[in-house]
Amino acid sequence: MSFSVAIVGRPNVGKSTLFNRLAGKRLAIVDDTPGVTRDRREAPGSIADLDFTIVDTAGLEDAAPAKLESRMSQQAQRAAKKADVVLFLIDGRAGVQPIDRHFADLLRTLSRPVLLIVNKCEGKAAIAGLGEAHGLGLGEPLALSAEHGEGLSDLYDALLPFAKDRDRRDEEADETAEEPDKSMNLAIVGRPNVGKSTIINRLLGEERMLTGPEAGITRDAIASEWLWKGKKIRLVDTAGMRRRANVFEKLEKLSVADTLRTIQYAEIVVLVLDAEQMLEKQDLAIARLVEEEGRGLVIAVNKWDTISQPAKALRKLEDRLEASLAQMRGVPTVVFSALTGKGLEKLMPAVMRVHAAWNKRVGTGELNRWLAPLLESHPPPLNKGRRIKIRYMTQAKARPPTFAVFASQPTALPESYQRYMVNAIRERFALQGVPIRITVRGGKNPFDKDRN
Ligand code: GDP
Ligand code: GDP
């Protein structure tokens, strides 16, 4: 059953871009004649299997600045009237503007749920804007890049309850219907012949399959669902696997594009290595992609049955990991033989640990209590004779853990010091196997209510 979603926000935050992204096709927005109200724009939209109606209540663009406020309140009221949920966009690069605050105040007075979306969050550029967005009092902000399609899985998660609400209302609430927990998206990647299919067959073979390989989360990915200790796991793969599933032929070479897409749809990635050829260039390239895409990583060394000197092989692996993947220090590594099954039972527990780390939220209080002694024992360096002061730190988001550091002379805080902080955070909060992002910015405490 469909529900409706309205997109609101000041001009230029990316509403049309998001509209197009969700509508899945390019609507000719540039053709909109100025002055002609786009008030009635509606389109069927979707993210993966979640269908809804998008209502674009735009019209602010044409407003003279003096009229902006009254237009905004009209827009917000219309949105609330028409939609089950309102997506309130702000521009993460520009940060929270006074007009955004005004809008937030308006939206709070309406009787509709609002999801606060911080757009233009591709890369790391806008992460600080996320911290600020907390201060709008509209709950947890969601990082998105409408233009690059990043953050859509988070948006999916955030919208899912509204679809369910609607279903419930429509079906007059089936009391027995259990709220299924969310499944975890897992990808198993690696060079051809390392044993991915063997692993998958063993994992799936031993568990109750919920759904077979079928068109899943997106048009170009497939997913199989299964239960591991009661937890729903969705194994995602893109075209590469589908081709394999359909025809019994080996893909001779690794398609980087397929691997990249698979990684993008996953939350946690298992990188499978062949025990006899560990961490070749391609393996490292995949590991780096996982890091860049902000996913959790588990390294799985398969074919351990072929190794005659396991201790030596392990040492070699550790050395290479330390040398080549320093940015993800301490990645959980499991060794096993998918052929015999020996050791494979360690894989899923490692995946679940990384998943927990990836989702981890460190409270702001805890974080800053930890930060204070760290800064004392290892203060940031001087810049042009003045000590760089770190004032405050918050976890802007999870998935992956992302921290905003508020400092004097923010641009002067050296990379090396940021790396030091990342490593310290990883150790203290047990964030092994997940990328940790840090952005540094100047300014005041974003949680400070008496900000003006
Ligand atoms: P609207 O006025 O709110 O409908 O905003 P538009 O969708 O027209 O976007 C305004 C500008 O922001 C355009 O130049 C877009 O290309 C750009 N934009 C939209 N989304 C993103 C994004 O996710 N990242 C970046 N960097 N730019 C974006
Ligand atoms: P994929 O291309 O990564 O999916 O690899 P496959 O699962 O098709 O495996 C490639 C080859 O490696 C097959 O001949 C498997 O039987 C073999 N293989 C897979 N796992 C193991 C293992 O743990 N030990 C050994 N010795 N061979 C394995």
Side-chain angles (χ1 to χ4, degrees):
M1 209 7 88
S2 184
F3 60 105
S4 61
V5 175
I7 305 175
V8 305
R10 67 177 175 82
N12 244 354
V13 291
K15 296 184 298 296
S16 308
T17 310
L18 181 60
F19 186 97
N20 286 349
R21 166 81 52 187
L22 297 177
K25 55 178 180 249
R26 300 241 159 257
L27 295 181
I29 291 175
V30 283
D31 292 347
D32 280 357
T33 317
V36 173
T37 175
R38 301 189 339 214
D39 180 42
R40 298 267 171 269
R41 244 166 38 120
E42 285 192 11
S46 65
I47 309 175
D49 56 351
L50 191 63
D51 295 321
F52 43 84
T53 304
I54 327 169
V55 188
D56 182 2
T57 55
L60 291 179
E61 284 70 9
D62 317 324
K67 286 194 175 157
L68 204 52
E69 288 198 0
S70 71
R71 284 276 185 109
M72 258 165 41
S73 87
Q74 280 171 19
Q75 181 190 356
Q77 275 156 17
R78 265 189 233 123
K81 218 183 281 169
K82 287 178 165 187
D84 295 307
V85 51
V86 177
L87 305 185
F88 171 38
L89 256 65
I90 66 169
D91 180 333
R93 297 186 175 229
V96 174
Q97 305 285 310
I99 180 173
D100 294 323
R101 291 213 176 87
H102 186 82
F103 225 128
D105 291 341
L106 260 171
L107 289 171
R108 261 199 307 272
T109 65
L110 302 171
S111 57
R112 274 286 180 271
V114 176
L115 294 178
L116 174 59
I117 308 237
V118 182
N119 190 33
K120 312 197 185 180
C121 272
E122 68 271 8
K124 304 200 281 185
I127 280 158
L130 271 178
E132 276 185 0
H134 271 280
L136 287 173
L138 286 167
E140 183 78 10
L142 198 150
L144 192 84
S145 170
E147 195 154 278
H148 299 260
E150 293 172 22
L152 289 174
S153 58
D154 290 334
L155 183 56
Y156 177 98
D157 290 343
L159 287 175
L160 203 55
F162 298 101
K164 288 199 186 124
D165 275 1
R166 192 53 172 264
D167 283 350
R168 260 202 292 279
R169 266 183 273 138
D170 288 352
E171 289 166 13
E172 290 296 324
D174 177 357
E175 290 297 317
T176 61
E178 220 187 79
E179 189 80 280
D181 353 345
K182 266 179 33 199
S183 44
M184 179 188 76
N185 289 344
L186 174 69
I188 297 189
V189 303
R191 286 180 289 120
N193 270 319
V194 292
K196 296 182 294 299
S197 315
T198 313
I199 294 169
I200 289 166
N201 287 339
R202 264 206 185 259
L203 289 177
L204 297 186
E206 289 165 3
E207 303 291 341
R208 185 158 72 88
M209 286 283 283
L210 297 178
T211 60
E214 61 187 27
I217 18 189
T218 74
R219 265 175 292 263
D220 50 12
I222 58 167
S224 311
E225 262 195 4
W226 48 288
L227 280 177
W228 184 80
K229 300 207 166 159
K231 169 89 186 158
K232 266 197 202 169
I233 314 281
R234 193 154 49 179
L235 206 56
V236 294
D237 207 332
T238 50
M241 188 173 160
R242 186 167 36 202
R243 253 177 276 147
R244 280 284 298 280
N246 289 344
V247 286
F248 291 91
E249 67 178 276
K250 277 254 182 269
L251 276 182
E252 285 313 329
K253 65 184 206 328
L254 177 73
S255 156
V256 176
D258 276 351
T259 306
L260 177 60
R261 265 184 307 145
T262 304
I263 290 170
Q264 283 170 338
Y265 293 132
E267 295 169 313
I268 306 303
V269 176
V270 171
L271 171 58
V272 185
L273 311 181
D274 185 319
E276 294 196 300
Q277 302 163 294
M278 284 189 287
L279 285 180
E280 311 237 303
K281 228 165 116 191
Q282 271 188 321
D283 298 330
L284 287 170
I286 299 176
R288 291 208 187 93
L289 277 181
V290 174
E291 202 276 336
E292 280 163 25
E293 293 298 322
R295 301 318 196 235
L297 179 65
V298 172
I299 292 187
V301 184
N302 187 30
K303 310 197 188 181
W304 204 245
D305 55 295
T306 63
I307 294 295
S308 51
Q309 294 179 287
K312 199 174 147 203
L314 265 184
R315 223 174 307 124
K316 194 168 118 191
L317 175 69
E318 275 161 14
D319 287 349
R320 283 209 202 161
L321 278 175
E322 184 61 37
S324 321
L325 269 186
Q327 68 273 47
M328 273 176 91
R329 190 165 286 170
V331 177
T333 303
V334 289
V335 300
F336 54 78
S337 165
L339 200 63
T340 68
K342 189 160 180 253
L344 189 61
E345 73 283 353
K346 289 175 295 183
L347 178 59
M348 286 310 295
V351 166
M352 300 316 286
R353 274 199 306 279
V354 171
H355 191 238
W358 192 66
N359 280 291
K360 177 139 179 163
R361 281 209 154 270
V362 182
T364 306
E366 193 183 358
L367 201 54
N368 287 281
R369 279 192 296 279
W370 162 81
L371 181 65
L374 180 93
L375 295 176
E376 242 169 62
S377 65
H378 190 334
L382 299 173
N383 176 51
K384 298 189 191 124
R386 279 189 308 144
R387 173 87 47 207
I388 303 171
K389 280 206 199 79
I390 294 183
R391 298 200 173 101
Y392 195 80
M393 184 171 168
T394 89
Q395 183 173 353
K397 65 187 267 299
R399 306 160 65 85
T402 302
F403 298 88
V405 170
F406 294 82
S408 67
Q409 316 177 65
T411 52
L413 192 67
E415 278 287 329
S416 60
Y417 195 83
Q418 295 182 39
R419 270 200 304 277
Y420 163 74
M421 290 187 79
V422 163
N423 288 333
I425 291 168
R426 190 187 303 290
E427 284 300 314
R428 169 61 183 80
F429 299 105
L431 297 176
Q432 279 77 23
V434 300
I436 295 174
R437 310 278 198 239
I438 278 196
T439 51
V440 188
R441 66 170 295 160
K444 300 196 184 114
N445 180 344
F447 291 90
D448 199 352
K449 284 204 190 72
D450 324 306
R451 155 157 20 111
N452 307 319

